[in-house]
Amino acid sequence: MLSPIHLSGSFFAIDFSKAFDSIRHYQLLAKLSCLSIPDEVYNWVEHFFSGQYHSTIFHGEMSAFASISASVVQGSALGPASYVITAANLQPRHTGNVIIKYADDTYLVVPASNDDTCAEELKHIQAWANDNNLRMNVAKSKEIILKPRSATAKSLQLPPPFPNIEHVSKLTAPLHSTPLTGRAIKPQRQGHIGGPIAQP
């Protein structure tokens, strides 16, 4: 549940291309080693990701085996957890801003009072993605500007849309993956994020 201060401002839905396929095993294991988990669990995960190879058969000819140093199987039990561990150190740069993560879905919430920090926060996310072998897909990322539906809403100073990221008037997330209230995000009388929201 977001506090009232986050009901006006910019909400970014960040897309990372092929996120599960891009996780480097050595970076995942390095982050896993920092967690307070039994050695047996760490060793089991390390063993799971070691010694993996792939080859391609085309017209009856098989290529040489190549080692797999990145990628986790999205449908496996370790898939979502591996991404969560990888993304655990992605945190906002400025107080008041929030980064919400659910599996490979990432959302940046910047209240109207912090609208001048949007560019720095997005640049920070891009730099983090580069360091973690992920690619931020600007073409599929979206921004929606929100304000509360209340008597005082008309007096709010809303930030302008951020350039290079598509500005949308409606943003719908699957019910099972919406990290805010478990409901689809549909402004203009249809959805809620901790309270009624609507665009100006």
Side-chain angles (χ1 to χ4, degrees):
M1 184 75 70
L2 296 180
S3 63
I5 192 174
H6 292 116
L7 294 179
S8 62
S10 298
F11 182 97
F12 296 91
I14 307 298
D15 182 84
F16 294 111
S17 298
K18 300 185 181 300
F20 282 87
D21 294 335
S22 304
I23 296 174
R24 292 191 182 110
H25 296 164
Y26 79 87
Q27 287 182 312
L28 169 62
L29 293 171
K31 294 179 180 183
L32 189 64
S33 69
C34 297
L35 301 179
S36 180
I37 60 174
D39 291 343
E40 294 84 356
V41 174
Y42 175 86
N43 293 336
W44 181 82
V45 175
E46 183 181 37
H47 179 74
F48 178 83
F49 285 114
S50 64
Q52 294 188 2
Y53 299 88
H54 73 92
S55 66
T56 302
I57 297 177
F58 183 70
H59 284 181
E61 297 290 331
M62 187 172 71
S63 68
F65 284 96
S67 62
I68 300 174
S69 59
S71 179
V72 296
V73 180
Q74 187 168 357
S76 69
L78 281 179
S82 297
Y83 185 85
V84 168
I85 293 169
T86 298
N89 65 336
L90 175 59
Q91 300 295 332
R93 297 291 300 273
H94 295 272
T95 301
N97 298 343
V98 178
I99 293 179
I100 303 167
K101 293 162 284 186
Y102 185 87
D104 62 336
D105 296 326
T106 303
Y107 305 92
L108 168 65
V109 184
V110 180
S113 58
N114 279 3
D115 68 282
D116 59 332
T117 68
C118 285
E120 185 177 350
E121 292 287 6
L122 290 169
K123 184 178 180 180
H124 167 61
I125 293 174
Q126 178 69 75
W128 174 87
N130 293 340
D131 290 342
N132 287 272
N133 199 39
L134 296 169
R135 186 171 70 86
M136 180 175 163
N137 190 342
V138 176
K140 289 187 176 181
S141 297
K142 311 293 181 185
E143 177 196 15
I144 186 168
I145 297 177
L146 308 175
K147 73 173 183 179
R149 187 182 297 278
S150 66
T152 59
K154 294 181 180 179
S155 63
L156 290 174
Q157 183 73 29
L158 295 179
F162 191 80
N164 302 324
I165 291 182
E166 182 184 0
H167 176 69
V168 296
S169 60
K170 182 168 67 174
L171 181 62
T172 303
L175 294 180
H176 68 274
S177 64
T178 304
L180 305 179
T181 62
R183 285 173 282 182
I185 303 166
K186 293 183 180 179
Q188 301 178 343
R189 302 186 181 89
Q190 297 182 48
H192 300 76
I193 301 182
I197 58 176
Q199 288 206 281

